[in-house]
Amino acid sequence: MINRRTLLKNTAATGALAGLSGLAMPALAQGSAVKIGYVSPQTGPLAAFAEADNFIIEGFKAAAKAAGMNVEVIVKDSQSNPNRAAEVANELIVQDEISLMLVASTPETTNPVTTTCEGEEIPCISTVAPWQPWFIGQQANPGDPSTWKPFNSSFHFFWGLEDVIAVFTNMWAQVETNKQVGGLFPNDGDGNAWGDPNVGFPPVLAQQGYTLTDPGRYQNLTDDFSAQINAFKQANAEIITGVMIPPDFTTFWNQAKQQGFAPKVASIGKAILFPQAVEALGNAGHNLSSEVWWTPSHPFKSSLTGQSAADLARGFTQATGRPWTQPIGFVHALFEVAADAIKRASDPTDSAAMVEAVAATKLDTIVGPLSWGDGPLPPFAQKNVAKTPLVGGQWRLKDGGGYDLVITDNKTAPMIPVGGKMEPIA
């Protein structure tokens, strides 16, 4: 199959040759820049995921220049819209003629970009989406595992649903509850995966003696969660979980308080990863819990700059005046992997060479060691997915204002230090 990028190149080459009257085509100029495309949600409801993008990219450019690498980074905003993500990915491939695609932050961004890259045979590295909604969500028949196939040019690193379920239930076990759980799962890539009766939360919770009340999928940017709150009150749910975009959890939590619903534990994916999202709740954010992918206390260093996790987080705060956020480490790691693959590729401007280099990655990054093909994964995902460690934590009000994120469970990643024990919300 000849993709559009190859077709356009061949057409342009044919026209150029016709005007050269038999002269040989020049080889690629020595030192030509390797073009890297990068897509993330810089605006819209997912914009918090991209808060550190400019800081990371400028740092990457400086490190690449110091290392003698000639690279160009072309950044596109998905606007938190899957259709827009696919559109800008196509622009990067066909118009900008990138050699490597990087993409971050939720299946609504990673999946359409990856799918576009697969169709155009462009190497793609993605992160900040659990591997199941990324891998399974792009299969032709997500409901039939026998039909699932590996990708040819796309590679992903992050944790999986099995990890976040283990982290959440480990945290819940530290608080005495009735094991009644309310689930908040939107109608999007994350929500459908987390609430899936086969690979999501329901079967594992049932095995561990929890009863899940799932009122069904809701649409993102919902302004009324009364139906969900009433269902949870009727079930006497003392635990709330789910995977929500930040504005939706703010709406839900404020309405829950107004309607007298006060669970002992609220472990929410995605929505409360960021300090500003918790700060928006005022004092009502105290002891909310979430998955923790990366912190300044993670014991890893950058292969690109030699910085520790603490160094990178401190640098972000010094440059921006903002507190560190979890995506900082993973976006930095994306560019670590890109730099490593470019250095090892026989020709970093050739798609096949770059795919081969990325597939052979074995790299210690600021989010931990990364390699494809040898992780604790099902055989169908081994080629394309690399796992990273995950722990759990709670947001605690500080005496002087603001919040600290305290790691409260590390059973799934003992190398990451714990800072406290789980406490009930009330």
Side-chain angles (χ1 to χ4, degrees):
M1 179 184 75
I2 299 178
N3 58 51
R4 283 181 295 167
R5 188 191 194 208
T6 301
L7 184 60
L8 286 170
K9 280 188 170 182
N10 289 346
T11 301
T14 300
L17 283 170
L20 288 173
S21 301
L23 291 176
M25 287 292 289
L28 183 70
Q30 289 295 318
S32 295
V34 178
K35 292 184 179 181
I36 300 172
Y38 176 63
V39 181
S40 68
Q42 293 147 46
T43 57
L46 300 173
F49 282 91
E51 181 186 6
D53 281 0
N54 289 338
F55 169 77
I56 296 298
I57 291 169
E58 290 306 311
F60 167 73
K61 290 178 180 177
K65 183 177 181 180
M69 297 176 63
N70 188 3
V71 296
E72 178 183 354
V73 181
I74 306 171
V75 180
K76 298 285 187 178
D77 178 12
S78 73
Q79 301 175 359
S80 301
N81 183 307
N83 293 330
R84 174 67 178 171
E87 179 183 330
V88 297
N90 184 69
E91 290 175 3
L92 286 165
I93 294 167
V94 177
Q95 297 177 17
D96 297 305
E97 297 188 335
I98 60 168
S99 297
L100 174 65
M101 182 78 79
L102 306 181
V103 57
S105 302
T106 80
E108 278 59 56
T109 313
T110 60
N111 289 19
V113 173
T114 300
T115 299
T116 302
C117 289
E118 279 291 296
E120 298 292 336
E121 300 175 4
I122 294 297
C124 178
I125 310 169
S126 58
T127 191
V128 188
W131 72 260
Q132 286 94 338
W134 177 82
F135 184 90
I136 299 172
Q138 296 183 79
Q139 298 297 316
N141 187 353
D144 183 0
S146 68
T147 66
W148 297 349
K149 297 178 181 180
F151 301 122
N152 294 316
S153 63
S154 302
F155 303 86
H156 186 77
F157 64 93
F158 209 52
W159 41 265
L161 297 183
E162 68 279 16
D163 303 303
V164 73
I165 294 170
V167 163
F168 279 13
T169 55
N170 287 341
M171 290 196 293
W172 301 347
Q174 298 181 40
V175 179
E176 186 175 344
T177 69
N178 60 6
K179 289 197 166 187
Q180 295 290 324
V181 181
L184 291 160
F185 305 121
N187 185 25
D188 63 16
D190 272 331
N192 291 326
W194 286 47
D196 187 274
N198 298 310
V199 301
F201 271 69
V204 182
L205 295 188
Q207 290 167 10
Q208 297 192 23
Y210 292 94
T211 300
L212 176 66
T213 298
D214 180 356
R217 306 296 161 263
Y218 65 88
Q219 296 303 313
N220 283 321
L221 298 177
T222 290
D223 58 9
D224 186 359
F225 285 93
S226 297
Q228 289 85 352
I229 293 167
N230 287 333
F232 300 156
K233 289 170 73 173
Q234 290 176 10
N236 192 25
E238 294 185 342
I239 301 170
I240 297 299
T241 195
V243 55
M244 309 180 76
I245 61 176
D248 281 354
F249 180 72
T250 299
T251 300
F252 167 81
W253 198 239
N254 288 334
Q255 291 178 357
K257 295 294 183 184
Q258 293 164 4
Q259 296 177 36
F261 177 56
K264 292 183 178 181
V265 178
S267 298
I268 305 296
K270 189 187 293 188
I272 55 173
L273 294 168
F274 310 104
Q276 61 267 40
V278 184
E279 290 165 1
L281 299 170
N283 292 346
H286 184 57
N287 280 340
L288 293 175
S289 50
S290 73
E291 75 278 22
V292 179
W293 340 322
W294 184 85
T295 72
S297 62
H298 275 49
F300 307 121
K301 290 187 176 183
S302 167
S303 63
L304 187 61
T305 65
Q307 291 173 295
S308 67
D311 292 335
L312 183 63
R314 188 181 308 112
F316 173 76
T317 298
Q318 290 173 346
T320 65
R322 297 290 300 156
W324 63 271
T325 66
Q326 296 192 48
I328 291 173
F330 278 83
V331 176
H332 182 90
L334 262 181
F335 285 91
E336 285 186 74
V337 177
D340 178 68
I342 289 170
K343 284 187 281 189
R344 290 185 291 102
S346 57
D347 178 359
T349 65
D350 177 72
S351 296
M354 280 299 294
V355 169
E356 184 179 358
V358 176
T361 297
K362 292 189 182 299
L363 188 66
D364 290 334
T365 75
I366 205 152
V367 300
L370 292 181
S371 63
W372 283 275
D374 58 1
L377 288 151
F380 56 77
Q382 283 277 357
K383 174 184 174 183
N384 304 113
V385 177
K387 290 278 290 286
T388 57
L390 186 69
V391 294
Q394 278 187 304
W395 290 99
R396 301 268 167 81
L397 275 169
K398 297 188 289 188
D399 291 338
Y403 283 88
D404 277 330
L405 180 59
V406 177
I407 296 176
T408 56
D409 177 76
N410 69 345
K411 289 185 177 67
T412 52
M415 80 289 289
I416 299 167
V418 167
K421 293 184 178 180
M422 280 287 288
E423 300 174 358
I425 291 172

